[in-house]
Amino acid sequence: MAITRDLFAARNRAFDTVLELDYPGDELPLTGAIISMQVRLYAGAGGPPIFEQTGITFSDAAIEDEPGWRRLTVEPNFPRSDLEAGTVPTGLNKPEVGEADRFEYEITLTYADSVQETLWTGGFYLQPGVDLT
């Protein structure tokens, strides 16, 4: 069920997005489940992630005009302080001045029985931003 999708953030503001995944069939067993997101320098990078969020807000509901389909909505967010240059490394993938640093992210659903499923994965582009207010 994994979706590959690049995400874009800026160092000068909080990252806040809504991701939706439509799927057919019965409701997922989400009681006691958690959704988390990790951002790393590259896929498979060891050690702690550059930043992460556990306990991401999510919801699951039937799609009214599409019988037999459901929509999982996931809302990851990171405060500006987690994304600033002093917190997140820059220049690791040698971007040109003003270009985004590229990292990799993965959003994982962990069911109550500890079984895990990747929901989204892809590039996490962290742009320098312009407005520093």
Side-chain angles (χ1 to χ4, degrees):
M1 181 154 76
I3 295 173
T4 300
R5 177 180 175 187
D6 292 339
L7 298 178
F8 297 86
R11 291 179 184 275
N12 64 330
R13 67 180 43 94
F15 171 77
D16 189 15
T17 193
V18 176
L19 302 170
E20 295 178 332
L21 186 143
D22 295 350
Y23 65 94
D26 296 330
E27 181 178 355
L28 294 171
L30 297 175
T31 302
I34 61 166
I35 296 180
S36 59
M37 177 177 176
Q38 288 191 349
V39 176
R40 293 180 176 272
L41 180 57
Y42 55 88
I50 293 172
F51 51 91
E52 68 181 323
Q53 181 185 16
T54 58
I56 293 174
T57 300
F58 67 91
S59 62
D60 182 53
I63 301 174
E64 290 183 25
D65 56 347
E66 294 184 44
W69 282 83
R70 300 191 62 82
R71 177 168 293 141
L72 177 64
T73 303
V74 178
E75 302 176 45
N77 61 74
F78 294 98
R80 176 179 174 170
S81 60
D82 284 359
L83 305 174
E84 292 174 337
T87 306
V88 178
T90 185
L92 299 172
N93 49 20
K94 298 184 176 41
E96 293 292 324
V97 173
E99 287 186 348
D101 286 293
R102 185 180 196 282
F103 303 98
E104 294 291 324
Y105 81 94
E106 184 174 323
I107 297 176
T108 302
L109 167 61
T110 303
Y111 295 99
D113 62 2
S114 298
V115 171
Q116 292 187 313
E117 185 172 352
T118 297
L119 300 176
W120 284 272
T121 186
F124 188 88
Y125 290 85
L126 188 53
Q127 300 166 334
V130 175
D131 184 349
L132 300 178
T133 59

